[in-house]
Amino acid sequence: MKKRILTTVSYRCFKFVFGSVAVIMLSVPVKMSAQETTGSMTGVLPQPFQVVEAISIGTGLSEALDEYLSPNTYHGGSFVFRNDRLYCSETEKYFRYGRSRNSLIASLMTNEAGNGSQIEIMGNMFHSWEKPLLQYSRYDLLAGPSVMGTYGVLWNLRNSNNPASAQGWLAAGVGVDNIFRFRIGRLPVALWATLWMPLAGARFAVDYDMPYYMLVEKGLYGKAIHFMCPINAPTSYNDVALLIPLGRNQLSVSLSADMTSDNMGGKRTQITHYQFGVGYVHRFEQKYNGR
Amino acid sequence: MKRSGYIRKTFGLILFALMATVSCTETAYVPATFENTPIGNFKALWNIMDRHYCFFDLKKRELGVDWDSVYVKYEKLIDKDMSDLSLYEVLNNMLRELKDGHVNLYGYYDVGRNWTWKTDYPSNYSAEIRSFYLGNDYFIAAAGYNYIILPDNIGYMTIESFSNVISESKLDAIISWFALCNGIIIDLRENGGGIVSEAEKVAARFTEEKVLAGYMKYKTGPGRNDFSDAMPIYVEPATTQLRWQKPVALLVNRGCFSSANDFTVKMKALPNVTVFGDRTGGGGGLPISSELPNGWSIRFSSAPMFDADMNDIEGGVDPDVWVSLTDSDRAKNVDTLIETARKWINDKIINP
C-alpha cells in the first residue's frame, strides 16, 4: 500500500514540477538588446546546407494502460535517448526546413498494488518538411507536414499467455517548431519548442482478445490494423528545450511530454511520458540537403 | 520593445497550447477502474470475466451456471471489513462455479484452481507400471520426452509436458531411432499442457499433407457472444525435417489438458493415428491473463477451440478406442493401454 501511494504521489509530483518548470521557463526575465543577434548565430535555425543536431539523454516518469495486458494503469521510471535534426535546404522553395527525430524510450513500471511489473521499449521515427510561417529577429515559427512512425512493445512480466502487447503506427501529421531567442543577462539563449501530432494513419491494434497466436497462424486476420486519427487515437509529442551556449556548441536542457493512445478493437491503450533531458547541440555542413 | 512583447506573448501562447495538448489528451480515456476494496475487487473480477471469458454459453448449457446469478449469490458474501484471505476464498469459490481448469486466481496465499476435470475420473495411468516398460536404459530427448524400442519392435515415447521446448534436431533423433520400428506409441497421459506451438511442432512430424484439425474463435468485444468467425486450424507437415509415416498409437487419459488436449485433436485428425484410452481432460480455451485492483492475477479461457466437426473441445476429446487400465492388469504390472496399442500396431503389420 505504501509503495502504491508513493508511486502515485511521485508521478503526480513530477507532473506538477514539470508544469511548474514550463511556466517558469516562460516567465524568465528577458532582456531585449537593441542590437539583436540573428537566429543563425545564437538560436537554432541552420543556414542553407547546414544541419543542427541535438543529441540528448533524459529520464522521467512513464504511465501505461494497455487493456490487452491489464485493466490497471502502471507507473514507473523511464530513460530516453533522442536525436533531433533540423536542416535547411536552399533549393526547396516551399518547405525550406527539414526536421527529424529518432528516439528510443525504455521504461520499467509497476502496478499500483506494487506486485506486478511491466517493461516498455518504444522507438520513434519522425520527419517533417517545414515552412517558415513567422520569422522575426527573435522568433521563428516553422510548420509543415510530417510522416511519423512508432514501434515497440509493452511486456507484462507476469502474464503467461498474453505477456506482450506490440505497439506500432505509421501516420501523416504536422510538425511545428517554435524558436524564441533572447538573453538572460548577457547570455544569448534560445527556447526551442516542438509539437508533433499525427493526424491520419494506420495503427496496429489487435481485436479485443485476439491472441497473438492467431496472428502468427492466420496473418493479419480480423482487424489488426486500424485507421487512426485524433478522435480514436489522440497522440502528441511536445517538448521545450532551453539552449545555452557552450563553447562553439550549445547545451540543451529540455522537458518533454508525450502521449500515445488509442481506443481500437474494443480496448484502450494510453502511454504517457514526462521527461527531463540534457544534451548538446551542434551544427555541421552537409553537401546534400540533410543527408 | 513593443514588437518583442508581441513575440513573447505569441510564443507563450503557442507553448501553452503545446503543453495543454498533453494535459488535455492525457485524460481522454479514463479507464473504467474499480477501487481497491473488497467490493471493488469483487466487481472487477466479475466484470473482467463477464467481458472476456469465452465459455458462458457452454457452462450454462452443461453446468447450469448463470453468471448474473453468480454475481447476486457472491456479492452478499462481500463485506467491507473482510480480510484478504476471506475475500480470496469468496472470489475463488465464485470462479470454481465455472469448473474450468484454465481459470486460476493468483493471490498471496494460494493459486485458486479447479482440477475436477482430472480428479473426478479414473486416471487409467500408473507411473510405476510405465517405468517397467521404460526400464532403466531409455533415452531422454528433452525433459519429459523419454523413448525406447519395445521388444516387439515398436517405438514407445512419452511426452509428459509441452511446457518444455524440444528442438527439431531432437525430434529428428527420435524418429531416426525409431526408423526401423513397425509403429510408434506416443504416451501422452498426464500431460497437463504447455506451449501450443510445441504441440503443433510435434504433430507436424506425423502428417504428409496439410490436414484440417479444428477451428478457433476469439472474442471481438465485451458481449458474451461477441466472437469472430471460426477460423480453421491446420496441421501442416514439417517440410524440412523427418516425418513418420507408419502407424501411430496415441495414449490419452483425463490428465491430458490444454495443449495436450489440442495435440490430441490435431493427431486424431491424421489418417495414420489412432487414439486410445479415456476422454481427455479438456481445456479447449486459449487462456489470457488479467489482474484485479489489489494486484491479484487472474487467468481464464478467452478463445474457444473446436475439432474439425466444430465440436467444442472444452470438455475433452474422445478417443477412437476406449480403453481403461484394468485392475487385473494393474495387479500384474501390465498397462492395458500400452498393450492394446501394441496389439493394434502388430495387427496393422499383418493387415495393413
Side-chain angles (χ1 to χ4, degrees), chain A residues 70 74 158 209 213 238 270, chain B residues 22 26 52 200 287 289 291 295:
Chain A
S70 166
Y74 279 62
R158 66 175 181 169
D209 286 344
Y213 162 78
N238 308 262
Q270 183 166 305
Chain B
V22 170
E26 194 191 349
H52 299 278
E200 285 172 0
S289 302
E291 67 180 331

Side-chain angles (χ1 to χ4, degrees), chain B residues 213-255:
Chain B
Y215 295 89
M216 188 181 208
K217 293 181 179 180
Y218 65 87
K219 285 217 72 182
T220 55
R224 290 179 190 168
N225 291 308
D226 289 347
F227 288 105
S228 69
D229 294 336
M231 293 180 291
I233 303 288
Y234 296 96
V235 184
E236 298 194 40
T239 50
T240 57
Q241 292 89 21
L242 293 177
R243 294 191 297 273
W244 182 262
Q245 299 177 45
K246 291 185 245 179
V248 178
L250 180 67
L251 311 186
V252 297
N253 70 345
R254 288 279 181 173

Side-chain angles (χ1 to χ4, degrees), chain B residues 185-196:
Chain B
I185 297 171
I186 299 175
D187 197 338
L188 197 68
R189 287 175 292 177
E190 297 302 293
N191 184 323
I195 306 165
V196 176

